[in-house]
Amino acid sequence: MNKADLLVVEDDPALSRLIGYNLEKQGYAVRVVGDGEAALEEVRQKRPDLLLLDWMLPGISGLEVCRQLRGQPKTATLPIVMLSARGEETDTIRGLDTGADDYLVKPFSMEALFARVKAMLRRLPPADKTLRFDTLVMDRVSHKVERGGRLLALGPTEYRLLEFFMLNPGKVFSREELLKHAWERSSFVELRTVDVHIRRLRQTLNEGDEQDLIRTVRARGYALDLPQG
């Protein structure tokens, strides 16, 4: 799966390096620029998934960058988190009124920044709104799944498992990998639980003489695949 692309606009070199380094450690693709004009050019070249935007920038201010982006169709819905040392309520309101989606007051912890980034990215619609494999069709916006026109009643965990499989068809994943991607990180789940949910997923997917699309690979794991032969 592709990494989320974050653009950090911060004129303090030490802070921008710190933010960029820590976000990359979290698994994001990070671009960093130091002024408003460069920020607008970067967004024109490639629209990021999320913009972390300092208020006080040399030349074009962060507020003006936000205002310009909100006025353009291609960036009107770009998620923007404003970063600022201006912590008064009136400043926060001004930043949000200009078009920022969130506002983080300096100095802030990296944990607080990570939480804001994750929260903003969770709101994004999936890049591929519809996934298809053989006769399976998954609508990732409505969370509806059909096989050959038959609506499937999937539980939340089975849905996440199937979504992960459909994003990676044909690839074999171990129980540990499936736990990592289909369960919340805070969950304490035994490996054998994966087998239980795979069995439930199979029962829902396969009806009558339909082919079993879940392949079991002994001592390795499971894959979404078409039967051979």
Side-chain angles (χ1 to χ4, degrees), residues 9 33-44 57-61 65 68:
V9 188
V33 296
D35 61 72
E37 187 174 347
L40 291 171
E41 180 59 29
E42 279 289 323
V43 174
R44 276 193 291 268
L57 293 170
I60 304 174
S61 72
V65 170
Q68 289 191 30

Side-chain angles (χ1 to χ4, degrees), residues 74-143:
K74 289 184 178 181
T75 53
T77 60
L78 172 64
I80 299 174
V81 177
M82 188 77 74
L83 310 177
S84 178
R86 304 171 68 124
E88 296 295 326
E89 183 179 5
T90 53
D91 295 321
T92 303
I93 293 171
R94 187 180 173 194
L96 295 174
D97 281 347
T98 303
D101 298 287
D102 206 344
Y103 193 98
L104 192 57
V105 178
K106 300 176 183 179
F108 49 78
S109 68
M110 287 299 109
E111 288 73 18
L113 179 64
F114 299 156
R116 301 297 178 92
V117 168
K118 289 177 182 177
M120 291 300 302
L121 291 175
R122 277 198 299 267
R123 301 177 196 172
L124 296 179
D128 297 320
K129 296 181 180 180
T130 303
L131 299 178
R132 299 177 187 275
F133 180 83
D134 192 45
T135 56
L136 281 174
V137 180
M138 174 180 283
D139 185 327
R140 300 172 75 195
V141 177
S142 66
H143 282 213

Side-chain angles (χ1 to χ4, degrees), residues 21-80:
Y21 171 76
N22 281 281
L23 287 174
E24 286 178 345
K25 283 185 65 178
Q26 292 292 306
Y28 301 113
V30 183
R31 293 177 280 156
V32 179
V33 296
D35 61 72
E37 187 174 347
L40 291 171
E41 180 59 29
E42 279 289 323
V43 174
R44 276 193 291 268
Q45 293 293 327
K46 182 185 178 186
R47 185 186 188 276
D49 295 311
L50 175 65
L51 178 63
L52 297 170
L53 179 63
D54 185 26
W55 180 322
M56 304 297 291
L57 293 170
I60 304 174
S61 72
L63 280 183
E64 181 57 27
V65 170
C66 187
R67 187 176 292 111
Q68 289 191 30
L69 292 175
R70 287 292 177 253
Q72 301 171 17
K74 289 184 178 181
T75 53
T77 60
L78 172 64
I80 299 174

